[in-house]
Amino acid sequence: MGIKVLTIAEQKDGKLSPVSLELLTAAAKSGGEIMTAVLADTADGLASELASRGGGTVLSVSHPNLKYFNDEVYAKILTELIKKYQPNLVLGAATFYGKALLSRLAAINDGAMASDITALETAGDTVSITRPSYGGNVIVNVAGKAGKTMFATVRPKIFEESAAGTGEVVVEQFDTTLFESRTEIKEMVGSTGQTVSLNEADIIVGIGRGIRGPENLDLARKLADALNAGLAASRAIVDAGWIEYSHQVGQTGKTVNPKLYFAIGISGAIQHLVGMQTSKTIVAINRDKDAPIFSIASYGIVGDLFEIVPALTEKFKAHA
Ligand SMILES: Cc1cc2nc3c(=O)[nH]c(=O)nc-3n(C[C@H](O)[C@H](O)[C@H](O)COP(=O)(O)OP(=O)(O)OC[C@H]3O[C@@H](n4cnc5c(N)ncnc54)[C@H](O)[C@@H]3O)c2cc1C
């Protein structure tokens, strides 16, 4: 007997996040029956899109209080759907929102929780997942326990977006009391200075203490703009107050997995590497030929970033 997999789509400003479509590919790998939950103030359009991309039975829930992510309300609604549809596996995105939501759901529903997974397999109704542990130094395989629902967050950019597939939309309705919350979200304001989300970026420009001061950050921003890339930072320059924490990559920042990561003026401390070492291609620019970053770089440029970065920016602009 195959398993039932429920994926939880993520939306922002009424648009599906790309990772929602990656979750469908992850779910398809399980070989099980796919269901997708989408919660928004007006969810039906998003639900139709998910259905045409292989979302299976797409459970569409609309209410004004679902406009912004609120883990208290989202968890109440999703728990009702879990009780009704009894999935063996619930998949969400390993994003700021997904991590908060899935761990809450696992606790409420007495399930098993696995964060940040990179692969999954099923045999009968047993689910096995793979996830990095100890800062990516160990890869762990975990099998779910019979009779327990497994909840997992999937690392963005590991699976391809599902391009096409079949599905049907089922509109779900709940008592209005379920949408009540102890908090009211009035507005979501994006952090300043970041136009491309690090979780979704195919290219990331990462900058470290080699930049010498906040007055020089525009150098990295220009390169990021030329490549339509996200701007990341080491903790050293976040702690120095040169850039906001939302840019930090590493053990105490974000984990990213882009196609291309530029590490510029970053030494390559292990705490930084654990946040970006799974990037498909890494280009390191550092004036110290012995900098540890070169040990994981696909391409290394030894030299002064103040000469190399503007030259690269001009080249990329010329080919844009
Ligand atoms: C518990 C804990 C958690 C941590 N979490 C994180 C984390 O999440 N993320 C993180 O990044 N760090 C984290 N750190 C800090 C980490 O250990 C390093 O201190 C930090 O990553 C160093 O940042 P950096 O590479 O920018 O600076 P540095 O190590 O000072 O490196 C600067 C680099 O710039 C190069 N450079 C200087 N001038 C130039 C130039 N003109 N041209 C080219 N290259 C140049 C230098 O050769 C050097 O390699 C954590 C530490 C601890 C203890």
Side-chain angles (χ1 to χ4, degrees):
M1 192 185 71
I3 63 161
K4 287 195 207 169
V5 187
L6 173 67
T7 82
I8 300 173
E10 207 168 280
Q11 59 88 16
K12 210 168 132 206
D13 302 330
K15 287 198 196 107
L16 286 177
S17 302
V19 68
S20 304
L21 303 173
E22 295 166 24
L23 294 178
L24 301 184
T25 305
K29 291 219 181 294
S30 72
E33 177 190 336
I34 302 176
M35 297 172 287
T36 300
V38 57
L39 281 60
D41 58 346
T42 318
D44 293 353
L46 303 177
S48 302
E49 191 181 342
L50 287 159
S52 68
R53 300 285 201 110
T57 307
V58 183
L59 312 170
S60 170
V61 188
S62 301
H63 190 277
N65 287 4
L66 300 175
K67 178 170 181 182
Y68 300 116
F69 174 76
N70 172 328
D71 45 7
E72 182 196 354
V73 180
Y74 272 50
K76 278 195 284 184
I77 302 297
L78 288 164
T79 296
E80 291 302 310
L81 294 176
I82 288 164
K83 277 195 220 145
K84 183 168 169 186
Y85 290 95
Q86 302 276 313
N88 308 77
L89 173 65
V90 181
L91 294 178
T95 56
F96 179 75
Y97 300 130
K99 285 178 183 173
L101 180 61
L102 271 281
S103 50
R104 185 184 275 250
L105 282 174
I108 295 171
N109 293 283
D110 191 26
M113 177 70 208
S115 321
D116 230 12
I117 74 166
T118 53
L120 69 91
E121 267 179 26
T122 53
D125 59 2
T126 305
V127 183
S128 306
I129 61 92
T130 302
R131 64 179 297 266
S133 198
Y134 293 104
N137 288 315
V138 177
I139 300 297
V140 184
N141 295 318
V142 185
K145 208 169 167 186
K148 287 252 179 208
T149 306
M150 181 173 256
F151 294 80
T153 54
V154 178
R155 191 176 273 200
K157 301 268 171 209
I158 294 286
F159 295 95
E160 296 290 323
E161 290 177 25
S162 172
T166 54
E168 50 153 355
V169 177
V170 177
V171 176
E172 294 283 342
Q173 281 176 345
F174 297 98
D175 193 282
T176 48
T177 54
L178 271 179
F179 296 96
E180 285 168 10
S181 169
R182 285 166 290 186
T183 54
E184 183 192 353
I185 301 168
K186 297 200 178 238
E187 192 187 5
M188 287 260 194
V189 182
S191 69
T192 51
Q194 185 72 298
T195 47
V196 182
S197 143
L198 289 183
N199 276 327
E200 289 163 18
D202 280 336
I203 306 177
I204 291 179
V205 171
I207 191 77
R209 192 152 34 197
I211 196 74
R212 285 198 205 131
E215 66 283 3
N216 298 324
L217 276 175
D218 257 0
L219 217 65
R221 284 205 180 94
K222 282 184 185 151
L223 177 60
D225 289 346
L227 292 164
N228 193 26
L231 185 65
S234 71
R235 178 168 162 174
I237 71 164
V238 172
D239 284 355
W242 299 353
I243 194 165
E244 299 97 40
Y245 170 71
S246 59
H247 295 264
Q248 186 178 316
V249 162
Q251 184 184 326
T252 42
K254 292 198 168 97
T255 302
V256 295
N257 190 31
K259 290 185 182 149
L260 177 58
Y261 188 94
F262 284 89
I264 303 172
I266 292 178
S267 59
I270 183 67
Q271 295 90 353
H272 188 79
L273 301 188
V274 297
M276 46 64 76
Q277 64 192 355
T278 56
S279 305
K280 314 270 179 311
T281 301
I282 297 170
V283 176
I285 302 171
N286 200 301
R287 68 178 178 191
D288 173 9
K289 68 174 178 35
D290 297 321
I293 191 73
F294 288 124
S295 65
I296 62 148
S298 326
Y299 300 95
I301 305 175
V302 178
D304 185 351
L305 72 87
F306 290 94
E307 288 169 20
I308 295 162
V309 173
L312 280 178
T313 306
E314 285 314 308
K315 282 273 179 213
F316 287 127
K317 269 195 194 158
H319 288 88

